[in-house]
Amino acid sequence: MASADRFASQASSALAAEIAAVVERLRRVTVQVRGGRGGGAGVLWCSDGPRSHWIITNAHVARGPRAGLVLPDGRFLYAEVRATDPQRDLAALSVPAAGLPAADIGDSGGIRVGELVLAVGNPWGLVGAVAAGIVHAVGPIYACNRPSCIQADVRLAPGNSGGPLADARGRVIGINSMVAGGLALAIPSNEVERFLRGLGRQCGDATEAA
Amino acid sequence: MQRASSENPGESAGALLALSNDLAGAVERAGRAVVAIYARPRVPSSGILWRPDVVVAADHTIKRDEEITVTLPDGRSVPASLAGRDLSTDLAVLKLQNADLPAAEIGDTASLRVGHLVLALGRSGGDSLGASLGVISTLSGAWRTWRGGHIDQFVRLDLAIYTGFSGSALVDASGRVVGLNTSGLARGMALAIPTSTVNGVAEELLVKGHIARGYLGLGMQPVVLSHALQKKLGLPSNSALIIVSVEPDGPAEKAGALIGDVLVALDGTPVSDTDDVQAKLGREYIGKELTASILRGGAVAELVIQVGERPRKDK
């Protein structure tokens, strides 16, 4: 019985260490976005050549032609709002900076109800705050007036908008967009990739070329 | 945009990934027995396939007795009939016609410990399966709801009972159903009704359509006794129950009870609140004779009341 207990405590401390590692990696790719009114979060999505980096956030966070960014290391940059899609609530921003990290992007098509998710953002201005939960539902969801949504049982607040929703591997599977009925609604990562492809961006290839 | 995930250097989330997969597996397994119930305006509520043709639900979500439909896990919508309901435990039982789906795998609520991870599984918005995660927050022994229902174990949950989640399944980490969740028993608090209680109530509802309760035919309220009187009678509490109404032809009237009598003990147990009386009115007491000690004109008298069955008001 004693050995079983010791095993249990090892399992939970391994779990805690892994959560901390995943959160640390997520925080390195989450930025503060200061847009038109209030602010939100954004994800360092991918690099587009040696002197440009793409940031994904919500359209309702980046309203003007430019938005201020605060990087995880505290640097402040201005980003150009390159495209917005109010229907999907997505915005693509770029900064002329090199050497920024990029998020690991997951395949949102493989999401299962009940799997663990972690969200990082700036709820009520609290920078880098983490929330943990599970996927509540996927697919056509009543509260979400878009073709596809991830609904998550995780407690978010204003300031989480535009921030990452990640799976247990730390891969970004969605962009948090709004809270409805206490549940978080996120835009699936595949939807984001489709949005970027629509802009003619091939940032994966560009990274390899560089 | 083709960025292979294999290049991810930090990907070693063994325990976290295993837990995540286990939870998703538990949802998949238990979700095969979770249904959506359309028995009220606007939002549907959830229910559990307790047997292949029997669904248990939270009574407070069943707003109509007829034209109830149930959406099964495979997406089919089938008509259901209300087999019985019990306000006191917030449970209702529906019968399905021609249903052939496997029932829930029922576990034992008594195996739970405070802190165990649990899931609530419901089907409300758009019939799709929904899940919320939390822990067992409080466990204690049997309790009585404010409507007099007996529940085998008090199970409080630290998880979100979303709209339409009353009647959802409480699921343990291995995917077994260990209770029925409701926010309708204690002012919106997330509670689970243990499987043993659901089994007992469902069984009786299927046979009789209602839950039999003992009945005295008395209206009572607590009164404070004087210190001298309490001492003289040797009572443990200075509170007793004064009879404020006696139902004509009820069991208590037949035994000779009068308005103004003060009930101090029932079946040899002192009573200081109506809860103490409720405790003697479970279905096992129906037909039994209970001795009631009453104060009448300053003296103690005894009445023998044969417990009747509570008449049904709903119909």
Side-chain angles (χ1 to χ4, degrees):
Chain A
M1 223 30 228
S3 64
D5 283 352
R6 190 156 57 234
F7 176 76
S9 74
Q10 279 169 358
S12 59
S13 62
L15 201 59
E18 284 175 19
I19 291 171
V22 167
V23 165
E24 192 47 48
R25 280 193 285 137
L26 274 180
R27 276 184 171 157
R28 278 206 290 269
V29 295
T30 306
V31 298
Q32 299 173 57
V33 180
R34 292 174 185 173
R37 40 148 226 193
V43 180
L44 295 171
W45 200 265
C46 63
S47 156
D48 181 20
R51 281 176 302 281
S52 176
H53 207 92
W54 285 99
I55 290 106
I56 296 292
T57 184
N58 289 141
H60 79 263
V61 171
R63 282 179 193 275
R66 284 204 311 170
L69 295 187
V70 182
L71 300 182
D73 61 12
R75 260 189 294 164
F76 183 91
L77 297 172
Y78 277 109
E80 193 188 334
V81 178
R82 302 277 291 269
T84 58
D85 182 342
Q87 189 70 43
R88 290 184 174 120
D89 196 15
L90 285 175
L93 284 56
S94 74
V95 285
L100 294 179
D104 300 317
I105 310 301
D107 173 13
S108 57
I111 292 172
R112 296 165 74 195
V113 174
E115 73 171 88
L116 288 173
V117 286
L118 291 161
V120 173
N122 318 308
W124 306 115
L126 189 65
V127 176
V130 182
I134 59 170
V135 172
H136 179 80
V138 287
I141 290 158
Y142 176 73
C144 147
N145 50 6
R146 292 184 216 109
S148 104
C149 255
I150 304 168
Q151 205 172 19
D153 173 46
V154 45
R155 199 166 300 176
L156 301 186
N160 275 107
S161 285
L165 184 74
D167 65 11
R169 296 178 154 140
R171 293 182 189 165
V172 176
I173 52 168
I175 295 291
N176 296 314
S177 157
M178 61 184 280
V179 177
L183 286 158
L185 289 176
I187 305 145
S189 58
N190 291 1
E191 214 43 49
V192 179
E193 300 269 86
R194 212 164 291 142
F195 168 60
L196 275 172
R197 268 204 301 278
L199 302 178
R201 306 322 302 183
Q202 297 289 327
C203 39
D205 297 348
T207 311
E208 274 159 30
Chain B
M1 213 67 65
Q2 297 302 314
R3 291 187 303 151
S5 48
S6 55
E7 70 193 43
N8 175 5
E11 195 180 295
S12 60
L16 192 59
L17 193 56
L19 176 61
S20 184
N21 286 336
D22 282 355
L23 290 173
V27 167
E28 207 175 293
R29 218 164 21 252
R32 293 181 199 134
V34 174
V35 302
I37 299 169
Y38 290 80
R40 62 178 180 184
R42 292 173 356 99
V43 225
S45 60
S46 304
I48 308 168
L49 266 178
W50 209 256
R51 296 181 197 166
D53 60 343
V54 171
V55 167
V56 290
D59 176 64
H60 78 272
T61 67
I62 309 297
K63 299 288 192 204
R64 53 178 186 254
D65 295 348
E66 287 167 346
E67 288 178 35
I68 299 172
T69 58
V70 165
T71 305
L72 299 173
D74 61 12
R76 272 185 299 156
S77 181
V78 298
S81 59
L82 184 64
R85 62 198 308 173
D86 178 39
L87 195 71
S88 73
T89 51
D90 197 23
L91 286 170
V93 172
L94 306 175
K95 283 275 278 181
L96 306 178
Q97 281 111 44
N98 313 320
D100 43 9
L101 291 176
E105 220 181 297
I106 314 283
D108 186 3
T109 311
S111 67
L112 292 174
R113 290 159 66 195
V114 172
H116 266 163
L117 280 180
V118 283
L119 294 152
L121 280 193
R123 213 176 270 279
S124 52
D127 297 336
S128 62
L129 192 62
S132 68
L133 175 71
V135 294
I136 297 289
S137 148
T138 310
L139 284 175
S140 52
W143 64 293
R144 198 167 288 284
T145 67
W146 66 282
R147 287 196 157 111
H150 175 93
I151 308 232
D152 292 339
Q153 207 182 357
F154 182 80
V155 185
R156 186 180 180 173
L157 310 169
D158 175 36
L159 52 70
I161 300 287
Y162 293 107
T163 308
F165 259 50
S166 276
S168 63
L170 182 70
V171 174
D172 69 9
S174 66
R176 267 180 316 211
V177 174
V178 286
L180 180 139
N181 306 315
T182 176
S183 58
L185 276 177
R187 295 182 189 179
M189 191 194 284
L191 297 182
I193 303 171
T195 51
S196 58
T197 303
V198 177
N199 274 332
V201 172
E203 188 76 37
E204 192 168 348
L205 288 178
L206 282 169
V207 174
K208 299 175 76 173
H210 68 282
I211 297 297
R213 300 268 310 143
Y215 178 65
L216 298 176
L218 287 177
M220 289 170 283
Q221 66 184 47
V223 281
V224 176
L225 303 177
S226 73
H227 189 64
L229 195 54
Q230 184 194 350
K231 241 172 101 176
K232 184 181 147 198
L233 298 171
L235 293 173
S237 159
N238 70 341
S239 176
L241 292 166
I242 187 164
I243 293 171
V244 294
S245 70
V246 181
E247 208 60 41
D249 289 330
E253 192 193 50
K254 285 179 188 156
L258 297 172
I259 290 174
D261 288 347
V262 176
L263 184 71
V264 293
L266 189 62
D267 197 25
T269 314
V271 294
S272 58
D273 201 337
T274 47
D275 272 358
D276 301 330
V277 177
Q278 291 281 9
K280 298 285 180 191
L281 295 179
R283 58 174 178 252
E284 65 276 20
Y285 285 93
I286 296 170
K288 274 183 73 175
E289 290 190 332
L290 298 183
T291 305
S293 305
I294 58 161
L295 273 176
R296 184 182 288 173
V300 178
E302 288 195 337
L303 304 174
V304 177
I305 307 175
Q306 186 180 21
V307 178
E309 185 178 335
R310 181 179 295 269
R312 299 185 65 204
K313 275 179 277 190
D314 53 2
K315 275 287 175 278

